Each structure stands twice: as structure tokens, then as C-alpha cells.
Amino acid sequence: MQPRASGEPGGSSGKDRDPSARRIRVPEISISEIQHGTFPQASRLNPRFTPARPLLLVTLKVRWAPKDPPRAFAALEKGLLAFSGTFRRHQCRGMGIYHVFSDAGGNGGSRAGSGESSAPSGKEEEFDAGLALAHLLEHAVIDFLSEVTGEASCSGITGAHRSVSHRYDVLVECREMEVGCCCLALALAWLQDLCRGQAMGSAEKEVLSVLRWIHRRAAPVVFASRVAGALGWSEDRVERALAALQETGYLEAAEYAMNLSGLPAYHPRRFAQGARLPLRP
């Protein structure tokens, strides 16, 4: 799943645009492969991985060349912190130049577990903007997953391929592939929004709230009216969030056939083991 090429990805309303924010060169990101399962060798990369807990393994190609990479990276980190204070509780164990959230009082909580980054040997002091962005993506996926699922801890790691430039692997603990892919798609879209000077705010929080409601109730069919009643929101507000989740590929929309109301119904997707994901080109 990949972010939209245009428009306001992930349900962004445009109301939270920060006029003082500097626009950053928008990265080119493509997903090469997504795998889900247990990877016994992963514990050697991050000993905090729980052995029996499935991982979401995402291989991406990232081309990102901002004028001042460390400054651009810091601006994206600041944008995530402004969106949610939970990022302050991340325990980042990335290499020094890729370390995130430490100045914000991070590394002290357990909610979102640990995130690590690794670079090819001999390049430790060379700032790789693509690796930095992939590492920040890992932290965003961890945070959104924790918000949606309520997991007390979640660990991850990001690494650069040695033999292929601009290619990176992101691994995150994730019990359900569908929810993990949805959080990945949202994180990709919203990080690109931050690069455009679009602050994350109320619209994005609403998308996560609706995703959390669907996930925790394991609802096979979702109606905007039902979600609106449960959350005390208007149906239009819920519909915007549902439309954003539909665009990630997490939901499918169809007219409800059980009665004559014609109400739109949304069905959470389920991926068969080994199925090829519906990645957008």
C-alpha cells in the first residue's frame, strides 16, 4: 500500500497547515515488497524482538535529497512530536546521527518500545537521508500501531542494504498484517504531507480513532452511522475517516445488501497467507 500521488492523503483536511513551516523536498518512496511472519534471525538485529511475535518486513526504495538533510530530518521529527506526545516516550537506539526524540525526553517510556537503525559498515559518519527517513517511518508505524492496538510495547529496526543503494528494510512487531499495512500507508502519506508543510492534526487523529474503533471491535461490517453513534461524532466526520482508510486499502466499500436502505458499508480486508498486496504504482 502506498500513499496517494496527489490530494490530501490520509484524510488531511488542510485546516492544520502551518504557514510558518518550511517546505522540504518531497521524497520518492516506493515499496518493493511486504512480508509478514516470524523471522528467527531478526532477534540478532534487535534483541528486544519477542521471538514468537510476528513482524512486518517492508522493503522500500527511498530517494530523498533535501538541501540540508539533517535539518530536514529534524523538521520532520519536530512535526511528529507536535502531532503526538507519545513520540516522546519512544526508546530510540539508533546510531547517533539517526537518533530521534532524545532531546524531547524520549527513551524513557515503554509504550512504543524501541527503534533501531543500522548502516553499512564504513559509512557510520555519512548521513544517509534515505535511511534517516526510513527510520523515522519505522517510529511512525510503531506509534500508530500502538495507538490502534493498545500494545504496551512494540519494537522495530531499520537497515540499509549493502549491495543496492537507496534500498532499506523496516521491521516492526505486528500481530495483524492488515492493520500494520494500514499504519504503514498512513505513515508514508503523512510524512510526505509534513514535507509539503502540512502539519498533522485533528483529521489524522480522527483516522486513527476510527481505525482503533474498528480494530478493537473486530467489526466485519462498518457503517458510518454506527461509528458516529459510538464516538459521538457527526456521520460526515466519520465518513471522511473511513474514506481515508479505504484509500490505504484497509477498507472496501460496498452497498449493504441486507436491506433496501442503500447505506454504504465498509469491510475490513483480510489478506491470505502469502497473498500479493494491492500496492499502488
Side-chain angles (χ1 to χ4, degrees), residues 92-125:
C92 181
R93 293 178 177 81
M95 295 166 47
I97 55 176
Y98 303 108
H99 207 74
V100 291
F101 309 126
S102 57
D103 292 340
N107 303 302
S110 60
R111 176 201 172 186
S114 60
E116 301 195 4
S117 64
S118 59
S121 178
K123 295 185 179 180
E124 286 79 8
E125 297 304 320

Side-chain angles (χ1 to χ4, degrees), residues 231-255:
L231 298 180
W233 296 1
S234 69
E235 289 191 32
D236 286 345
R237 187 177 174 190
V238 173
E239 280 287 1
R240 286 194 295 270
L242 290 174
L245 294 175
Q246 182 185 0
E247 291 201 15
T248 70
Y250 178 72
L251 293 179
E252 289 183 304
E255 286 193 1

Side-chain angles (χ1 to χ4, degrees), residues 42-43 45-50 53 55 86-95 98-101 106-117 134-143 145-146 151-158 170-174:
S43 60
L45 303 173
N46 186 347
R48 288 180 172 263
F49 281 144
T50 304
R53 196 171 180 184
L55 294 170
T86 55
F87 283 99
R88 299 175 184 274
R89 290 150 50 189
H90 283 221
Q91 299 179 28
C92 181
R93 293 178 177 81
M95 295 166 47
Y98 303 108
H99 207 74
V100 291
F101 309 126
N107 303 302
S110 60
R111 176 201 172 186
S114 60
E116 301 195 4
S117 64
H135 179 53
L136 206 57
L137 175 69
E138 172 211 328
H139 276 275
V141 173
I142 285 175
D143 199 83
L145 268 174
S146 298
E151 293 279 2
S153 65
C154 179
S155 295
I157 190 169
T158 300
V170 174
L171 291 93
V172 174
E173 289 182 317
C174 173

